[in-house]
Amino acid sequence: MDSKVMLDIRNYSKSYGGDKKAADDVSLSVMSGDIYGFIGHNGAGKSTTIRAVVGVLDFTDGDIYIDGHSVKDEPMECKKITAYIPDNPDLYDNLTGIQYLNFVADVFGISASDRGERIKKYADLFEITDSLGDLIGSYSHGMKQKVAIISALIHDPKLLVLDEPFVGLDPKATFTLKEIMHEMCERGTAIFFSTHVLDVAEKLCNKVAIIKQGRIIASGTMEELTEGHSLEETFLEAENEQ
Amino acid sequence: MNSNNILLFKTLLLSTSQRNIFKYTTDKKKKKRIILAYVGLACLYAMLVGYSYLTTVGYGKFGLIGSAPALCALIISLLAFVFTFFKTNGYLFNFREYDMLMSLPFEASTVAACKFLYMYVKSLPYYLCISISVMVGYGKYAHPSVIVYPIWIILTPFIPIIPMLFSAFIGFLIARISSGFKKNNLIQTILTFAFVIFCFSLRYIIEYVFREDKLQETMDNLSQVTDDAASVYLPAKWFADSITKLGISDMLLLVGVSLVLFALIFRIVGRSYRNINSSLKSHAAAKNFRMTDQKKHSVEQAIAFKELKRLMGSTTYMVNGAMGEILAALLGIVTLIVGFDKIVAVVTQNAPFDYAMVYPAIPLIVYFFIGMVATTACSPSLEGRNYWIVQSLPITKTTLYKGKMLFNMYLSVPFMFFAILCLCISAKVSLIDMVLFLALGFVLCAFSTTWGCVCGIKHMRLDWENEVEVIKQGSAVAIYMFPNMFAVMILCVLVVIAGQYADQRVVTLVLILIAGLLSALSYKRAIKLAEKEG
């Protein structure tokens, strides 16, 4: 399988007024088939970067390309091949789970048979099928997260962007999501996700970037970065060096 | 509109549809609440229909029925403009599901346009009630040809579009300007207040500008006023001429301009939409906090402080919740500068009577502004998703609502006192009367606070998608506001009349007693409701 750059962040910066930058000259590339971990402290700039990647947050400096399309200039082209799972999914509480999934499937123009098959597959995997007829407002945080994940997988994206995807998931669902990520990666999907759980990142990712105060302080393949140490040690060392 | 736009629009409607909740919820209490809300809404529509029809009948009886179509278009346009302005910030910008929608393949202009259309469709039933009632009255007195009725019905949905678009565009400009500032929320609130105050004073500015043109004489003729206003505001003229002259060009103009403006405005809005929302949804972090000595407060004080931060943190809440206080303060300042008697003369259009008659109504005049909204009416619902915080804290609901009531008193009393003092100084009211008025003002604030709290707890709604739903359109706020405002207007008249037959101080004392009693009863009720909640 030919590998190509699916996500290319070039000199991206974002400031919220004043001199302090939430993201400062961030550059990284995620290839198809990569599972790319994005790690850093709270407030390091992970979510800011992720929200800019998925076209939610505006930015002035640098550019972000998804499969060769600029997020700034061709946002629709980018969004059509990207799926985003936020850390705290704000879904429509007054829709049922199935109404929401159908809404997303309609947006992406998924045929009735494909969506039926995918929803069933993932809903069964996440053991949420029985609850799809209930209002999302009645769901727990984890259940909402599962619906958000299914909605992201429904259109078989080329780039999957996840912000702290394992927060709120039960152990079984965490395992299922990791399996799905592996399966997608084998099919050539690029996965870019932020996490605090370094053990997970170490086992799951082939590449990783460490961000501190908006700047990338280390990045590369897991082997290059850790050089035989654990990711936790590497992370703490990189943090201290800076 | 392409299929994705329709899909998004339909989903926005479905996402707040009470029918959808009713269909799928298993919570019987929720179902009951939805039925009651529908009944309340039906009553509101019935009142609106009755009021609009009777107004038209009045026009008919005085031989002014020819102005009814223009009047109908003007009223709908004015309501659409005002209500859209207060809702724009919450609906178009900074809404909860922004991230989710913007990450899906929708153009920014599509999201903004669908949000606007959502706002439009939600308010359309109110405008239809007004329009259809006026049409029935018009039919009764003007006996128009049969073709007028379908034209009226077809054109009605177009009447509110242009004013709503203008209003939304002003909201957009304010958000656009504010987004360039570090403290964008504050700037947005200030600009919004400035615009509202400008609108309030527009009538007097126009009157001042045209005084030489004998505007006063024109004002005497109600029909003339309507026609003049319609001639200035072209969409109203287009509607009126479509009805009275069956002008095809007027019909096309109303429909065409509405659609072109819609497309144009959302093309412009779409360009800056992401930029504005990015700015409004982000908060600059100074990261320069230094730990100093912290102060201890009582639980009620802590809750009151939390309420203050909640109010100041949201432009929508601030504009709606503190508008009365700001207007009251402005009234006080303007009165000090212009003079109480002159203001009364302007408002009553130089009616020949002794303005001292109005003095006993001073606290009620101020209360008309301050009592418009009580934060206690919407703050229980505003807890929304954060309700778990107060639920999990080791405080009783009684303490929680006491804190909320305390905050409304902190907010309303200083403004009430300031405005009353300004009005009293300007009117040269005696010291004893001033003290009595301040006492009445205080008791009225207490009534507003406690009655608001009763409505807020009784009609609490936590499952809102957008805070506008509970700040502007919540049943708690409506139930608080309407009887309150009508009662104040009636009381104002009664106090002025009673002052002619009895000692004005006795009248004020009686009012203090009545308002005090009502406050005590409301407070008792609020505490009882709080205890019931746990």
Side-chain angles (χ1 to χ4, degrees):
Chain A
M1 185 176 58
D2 287 338
S3 190
K4 65 171 180 171
V5 179
M6 280 308 302
L7 171 65
D8 190 10
I9 303 177
R10 292 185 200 162
N11 310 107
Y12 153 76
S13 295
K14 172 75 190 171
S15 61
Y16 292 125
D19 301 329
K20 290 212 170 76
K21 285 185 173 177
D24 188 3
D25 200 25
V26 172
S27 292
L28 58 89
S29 297
V30 184
M31 313 292 285
S32 56
D34 273 352
I35 301 184
Y36 202 120
F38 198 36
I39 57 178
H41 278 309
N42 295 328
K46 299 187 298 292
S47 293
T48 302
T49 307
I50 280 182
R51 289 175 77 227
V53 166
V54 296
V56 170
L57 199 65
D58 201 27
F59 59 96
T60 44
D61 299 328
D63 212 338
I64 298 171
Y65 296 90
I66 295 174
D67 200 15
H69 301 287
S70 161
V71 169
K72 263 186 194 167
D73 303 328
E74 303 164 277
M76 291 297 282
E77 294 307 315
C78 297
K79 287 177 190 180
K80 278 177 190 166
I81 52 172
T82 308
Y84 168 51
I85 302 169
D87 56 342
N88 194 4
D90 264 329
L91 311 177
Y92 288 123
D93 280 356
N94 295 335
L95 296 187
T96 62
I98 192 71
Q99 282 175 331
Y100 178 72
L101 292 174
N102 271 312
F103 162 63
V104 178
D106 284 333
V107 170
F108 285 97
I110 309 297
S111 70
S113 58
D114 280 355
R115 81 175 63 177
E117 192 186 304
R118 287 174 197 168
I119 292 173
K120 187 172 179 345
K121 176 186 164 188
Y122 292 121
D124 284 350
L125 276 174
F126 285 112
E127 298 174 340
I128 199 177
T129 314
D130 292 346
S131 306
L132 287 181
D134 298 330
L135 292 170
I136 291 175
S138 68
Y139 288 4
S140 67
H141 176 85
M143 286 165 83
K144 284 182 187 172
Q145 186 79 350
K146 287 175 184 177
V147 171
I149 293 169
I150 299 171
S151 74
L153 302 175
I154 214 165
H155 66 285
D156 201 13
K158 285 185 178 179
L159 172 67
L160 181 62
V161 182
L162 309 96
D163 195 358
E164 298 290 351
F166 304 108
V167 173
L169 288 183
D170 57 60
K172 172 97 192 293
T174 304
F175 176 77
T176 305
L177 179 60
K178 284 192 272 188
E179 289 292 300
I180 291 170
M181 285 165 80
H182 275 305
E183 186 196 308
M184 290 180 82
C185 152
E186 278 161 23
R187 287 207 315 264
T189 307
I191 299 173
F192 181 58
F193 78 104
S194 70
T195 185
H196 286 122
V197 192
L198 297 182
D199 286 347
V200 170
E202 191 165 14
K203 283 177 191 154
L204 203 59
C205 305
N206 61 326
K207 286 180 186 165
V208 74
I210 302 171
I211 186 167
K212 184 183 181 185
Q213 290 173 358
R215 296 185 74 92
I216 300 281
I217 54 169
S219 67
T221 62
M222 191 62 79
E223 293 76 26
E224 281 169 6
L225 211 67
T226 54
E227 291 173 339
H229 300 282
S230 73
L231 182 61
E232 191 176 29
E233 285 167 339
T234 310
F235 175 73
L236 293 173
E237 197 180 312
E239 285 262 314
N240 290 336
E241 274 177 17
Q242 295 293 313
Chain B
M1 268 184 123
N2 65 33
S3 60
N4 256 14
N5 301 5
I6 294 168
L7 175 69
L8 174 58
F9 175 56
K10 267 168 60 184
T11 308
L12 285 178
L13 287 176
L14 191 65
S15 71
T16 52
S17 155
Q18 294 296 304
R19 201 171 61 87
N20 200 49
I21 302 173
F22 189 84
K23 197 172 161 188
Y24 292 105
T25 189
T26 48
D27 186 342
K28 280 184 183 165
K29 264 187 184 171
K30 213 172 204 175
K31 286 195 175 193
K32 202 173 140 192
R33 229 173 32 229
I34 292 169
I35 294 170
L36 284 175
Y38 274 127
V39 172
L41 205 60
C43 292
L44 196 63
Y45 287 149
M47 279 164 66
L48 205 56
V49 166
Y51 179 78
S52 307
Y53 178 72
L54 289 175
T55 306
T56 319
V57 166
Y59 262 61
K61 293 231 185 235
F62 287 101
L64 309 171
I65 199 67
S67 300
L71 178 79
C72 172
L74 284 170
I75 289 173
I76 290 175
S77 301
L78 186 69
L79 289 176
F81 184 85
V82 172
F83 286 118
T84 306
F85 186 73
F86 282 108
K87 289 189 283 189
T88 294
N89 181 57
Y91 273 124
L92 285 191
F93 306 107
N94 212 1
F95 49 92
R96 210 162 56 85
E97 77 278 21
Y98 170 80
D99 278 23
M100 184 263 285
L101 285 184
M102 288 301 285
S103 68
L104 292 173
F106 292 117
E107 298 275 6
S109 55
T110 303
V111 175
C114 285
K115 281 274 173 184
F116 174 85
L117 281 178
Y118 169 84
M119 210 165 27
Y120 165 74
V121 166
K122 284 276 177 181
S123 53
L124 198 56
Y126 294 98
Y127 306 137
L128 283 172
C129 283
I130 296 171
S131 187
I132 304 294
S133 319
V134 175
M135 183 189 76
V136 172
Y138 181 73
K140 189 179 173 186
Y141 287 95
H143 308 293
S145 73
V146 182
I147 190 73
V148 162
Y149 297 102
I151 292 175
W152 190 306
I153 292 168
I154 291 167
L155 290 183
T156 293
F158 290 93
I159 303 173
I161 294 180
I162 296 174
M164 281 183 79
L165 283 170
F166 273 117
S167 195
F169 192 66
I170 292 165
F172 158 75
L173 288 178
I174 290 175
R176 183 79 189 86
I177 295 166
S178 318
S179 66
F181 291 86
K182 203 171 170 182
K183 291 199 179 284
N184 51 52
N185 201 15
L186 180 70
I187 301 292
Q188 197 178 13
T189 306
I190 291 170
L191 288 176
T192 308
F193 270 125
F195 182 74
V196 172
I197 289 157
F198 169 74
C199 288
F200 267 91
S201 51
L202 204 57
R203 176 186 177 267
Y204 299 103
I205 294 169
I206 291 169
E207 190 170 338
Y208 177 76
V209 170
F210 290 104
R211 193 174 289 276
E212 295 304 312
D213 298 335
K214 296 183 180 172
L215 185 76
Q216 200 57 49
E217 283 171 28
T218 316
M219 298 286 267
D220 294 339
N221 189 329
L222 194 63
S223 174
Q224 188 66 42
V225 174
T226 309
D227 292 342
D228 281 359
S231 68
V232 174
Y233 180 64
L234 288 176
K237 182 182 180 297
W238 295 332
F239 177 76
D241 287 351
S242 302
I243 300 300
T244 54
K245 298 174 187 166
L246 297 177
I248 302 285
S249 58
D250 294 301
M251 293 177 210
L252 291 174
L253 272 170
L254 182 62
V255 176
V257 171
S258 301
L259 297 178
V260 169
L261 267 180
F262 176 78
L264 187 73
I265 285 180
F266 282 98
R267 188 162 285 265
I268 299 169
V269 171
R271 281 186 189 159
S272 314
Y273 197 60
R274 202 165 60 156
N275 180 283
I276 294 171
N277 278 294
S278 295
S279 170
L280 295 179
K281 282 183 92 72
S282 314
H283 303 280
K287 291 192 175 174
N288 58 3
F289 177 73
R290 294 283 174 273
M291 201 69 189
T292 51
D293 291 341
Q294 302 297 300
K295 284 176 192 161
K296 187 181 186 298
H297 300 283
S298 71
V299 179
E300 285 88 352
Q301 295 276 3
I303 292 165
F305 180 71
K306 173 188 91 73
E307 292 297 319
L308 172 70
K309 298 307 280 181
R310 180 68 178 87
L311 180 80
M312 291 176 75
S314 154
T315 303
T316 308
Y317 190 19
M318 186 79 180
V319 169
N320 287 282
M323 181 56 76
E325 276 77 8
I326 302 286
L327 288 176
L330 271 171
L331 173 75
I333 295 165
V334 171
T335 310
L336 274 183
I337 298 164
V338 179
F340 184 77
D341 289 358
K342 276 190 184 163
I343 297 229
V344 176
V346 170
V347 173
T348 58
Q349 291 173 28
N350 291 318
F353 71 100
D354 180 9
Y355 296 151
M357 281 167 68
V358 184
Y359 294 170
I362 283 176
L364 293 166
I365 293 168
V366 179
Y367 180 69
F368 181 78
F369 293 103
I370 288 186
M372 269 199 294
V373 177
T375 55
T376 42
C378 45
S379 73
S381 298
L382 275 172
E383 295 288 343
R385 269 152 226 268
N386 295 333
Y387 194 56
W388 67 269
I389 300 175
V390 288
Q391 282 277 59
S392 59
L393 289 174
I395 52 167
T396 61
K397 289 287 161 13
T398 315
T399 314
L400 172 71
Y401 293 117
K402 274 182 186 172
K404 286 181 186 287
M405 287 193 266
L406 183 67
F407 170 67
N408 198 60
M409 290 299 277
Y410 278 157
L411 179 72
S412 55
V413 172
F415 284 96
M416 174 65 99
F417 280 8
F418 174 78
I420 289 178
L421 282 173
C422 291
L423 266 65
C424 288
I425 292 165
S426 176
K428 298 186 178 67
V429 169
S430 72
L431 190 67
I432 297 170
D433 284 330
M434 203 187 286
V435 172
L436 281 173
F437 290 168
L438 287 173
L440 179 56
F442 182 83
V443 182
L444 285 171
C445 284
F447 171 68
S448 159
T449 301
T450 50
W451 168 237
C453 200
V454 170
C455 299
I457 305 173
K458 200 148 174 59
H459 302 276
M460 182 160 60
R461 192 190 147 199
L462 300 167
D463 58 345
W464 43 269
E465 285 292 329
N466 191 312
E467 62 181 6
V468 178
E469 288 169 41
V470 286
I471 294 171
K472 195 95 204 108
Q473 302 163 331
S475 43
V477 174
I479 291 167
Y480 161 82
M481 191 170 68
F482 288 117
N484 200 17
M485 289 295 98
F486 284 126
V488 173
M489 284 194 269
I490 294 164
L491 268 179
C492 270
V493 177
L494 285 180
V495 164
V496 171
I497 296 168
Q500 306 308 303
Y501 301 100
D503 188 333
Q504 289 182 350
R505 285 174 189 165
V506 175
V507 175
T508 309
L509 270 172
V510 170
L511 269 180
I512 292 171
L513 283 174
I514 294 170
L517 184 69
L518 288 173
S519 306
L521 288 173
S522 297
Y523 180 77
K524 223 175 144 188
R525 179 83 183 120
I527 296 298
K528 212 169 181 181
L529 284 168
E531 281 168 355
K532 224 168 124 183
E533 250 196 80

